[in-house]
């Protein structure tokens, strides 16, 4: 690796991680508003975040909506992935394009469409409407993750199970799913994160009682710049670091297969 490549990589890493070194210290600041560098340090913003219903309510809504979106996206995305990778049918290319179109169409355009359509169904300003809209946006993430895993899947193990008399459902439960379990877990995690982090659709569809945390952060910064937003940002960053650290720790403690002695 050349020196210029290393320098470029370091600059990109600094650019991406730079905001963390500003937001995290501000979350412990004693200033009455967002101020950097902090004049002092305390935990007041975190106490406000966990005691104010304006923050705890959207936090709970984001978890509920994210979990509901994850379940629905996996229920619809997994069969779509197997259909695209395992079967040849008419208009297969059109079906793939329709499934992946939410990644191409701007969110603001889709938000206007959902607002108009869900309004006629009475789903605007409801948690159900947000879950359905987020599911449509998240299915492409699930499909891309699972199709990538299926592309490298060795189907000879399924053929061997079928040759031994296993039914298709039994083969999937005992052979296919255990092998693809990491891909399913990653797809589910990406679906949850994609829903949890979405803002544009939530601004148009969610109401006061179904507001998500990203929408509350946007409104807070736009209206009054509540310093508790720095605590919310730091907590989200901490959650991501915990997940990454847990993954690394699991890989480190995973027992290695014993090598046979010569």
């Amino acid at each position: 690796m050349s020196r210029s490549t290393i320098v470029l990589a370091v600059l990109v890493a600094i650019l991406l991680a730079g905001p963390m070194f500003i937001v995290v210290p501000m979350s412990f600041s004693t200033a009455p508003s967002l101020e950097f560098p902090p004049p002092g340090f305390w935990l007041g913003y975190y106490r406000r975040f966990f005691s104010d219903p304006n923050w705890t309510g959207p936090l709970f809504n984001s978890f509920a909506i994210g979990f509901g979106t994850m379940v629905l996206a996996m229920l619809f995305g997994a069969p779509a992935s197997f259909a695209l990778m395992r079967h040849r049918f008419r208009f297969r290319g059109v079906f793939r394009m329709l499934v992946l179109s939410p990644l191409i169409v701007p969110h603001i355009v889709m938000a206007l469409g959902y607002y108009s359509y869900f309004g006629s169904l009475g789903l605007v300003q409801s948690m159900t409407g947000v879950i359905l809209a987020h599911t449509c946006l998240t299915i492409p993430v699930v499909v891309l993750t699972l199709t990538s895993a299926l592309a490298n899947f060795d189907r000879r193990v399924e053929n061997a199970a079928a040759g031994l008399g296993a039914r298709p459902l039994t083969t999937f439960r005992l052979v296919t799913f255990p092998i693809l379990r990491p891909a399913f877990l990653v797809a589910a995690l990406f679906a949850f994160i994609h829903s949890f982090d979405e803002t544009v659709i939530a601004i148009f569809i969610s109401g006061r009682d179904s507001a998500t945390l990203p929408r509350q952060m946007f409104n807070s910064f736009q209206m009054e710049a509540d310093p508790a937003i720095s605590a919310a940002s730091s907590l989200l960053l901490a959650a991501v670091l915990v997940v990454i650290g847990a993954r690394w720790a699991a890989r480190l403690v995973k027992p290695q297969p014993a090598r046979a002695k010569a």
Side-chain angles (χ1 to χ4, degrees), residues 9-245:
V10 171
L11 291 177
V12 172
I14 294 175
L15 180 64
L16 294 176
M20 296 188 304
F21 297 101
I22 298 177
V23 174
V24 174
M26 282 197 305
S27 68
F28 296 97
S29 175
T30 58
S33 60
L34 296 175
E35 180 180 341
F36 187 85
F41 295 95
W42 71 327
L43 297 176
Y45 296 160
Y46 290 92
R47 287 194 292 266
R48 182 190 304 179
F49 178 83
F50 287 108
S51 61
D52 189 351
N54 291 327
W55 288 104
T56 56
L59 178 63
F60 173 79
N61 291 339
S62 290
F63 276 106
I65 292 172
F67 182 79
T69 300
M70 178 186 69
V71 173
L72 290 180
M74 293 299 295
L75 288 177
F76 290 104
S81 303
F82 278 86
L84 288 172
M85 296 301 297
R86 298 287 180 86
H87 302 283
R88 303 291 178 181
F89 51 90
R90 293 183 62 185
F91 305 112
R92 180 169 172 264
V94 176
F95 177 70
R96 180 190 294 272
M97 181 185 67
L98 291 176
V99 170
L100 300 180
S101 60
L103 295 178
I104 304 172
V105 180
H107 281 198
I108 186 66
V109 176
M110 300 191 68
L112 289 172
Y114 287 134
Y115 182 81
S116 176
Y117 180 65
F118 285 175
S120 62
L121 300 177
L123 294 176
V124 175
Q125 298 186 358
S126 68
M127 189 173 294
T128 302
V130 180
I131 291 176
L132 292 177
H134 281 189
T135 299
C136 296
L137 294 178
T138 306
I139 285 177
V141 178
V142 174
V143 170
L144 289 177
T145 304
L146 293 182
T147 51
S148 299
L150 287 170
N152 299 318
F153 184 82
D154 188 358
R155 297 199 64 183
R156 289 177 296 182
V157 294
E158 293 181 333
N159 296 332
L164 294 174
R167 296 178 179 272
L169 184 60
T170 303
T171 301
F172 176 80
R173 181 171 59 88
L174 299 179
V175 178
T176 307
F177 181 74
I179 296 176
L180 295 177
R181 184 183 291 113
F184 275 86
L185 293 177
V186 171
L189 179 61
F190 282 173
F192 179 84
I193 294 175
H194 193 265
S195 172
F196 196 96
D197 189 56
E198 203 283 323
T199 306
V200 179
I201 300 295
I203 292 175
F204 278 78
I205 303 299
S206 65
R208 184 186 63 180
D209 296 332
S210 58
T212 62
L213 183 60
R215 172 181 170 169
Q216 175 62 23
M217 294 172 67
F218 177 81
N219 291 340
S220 175
F221 187 79
Q222 189 178 38
M223 300 297 182
E224 55 181 344
D226 186 352
I229 191 175
S230 61
S233 303
S234 299
L235 290 172
L236 292 178
L237 173 62
V240 173
L241 294 179
V242 167
V243 172
I244 296 176

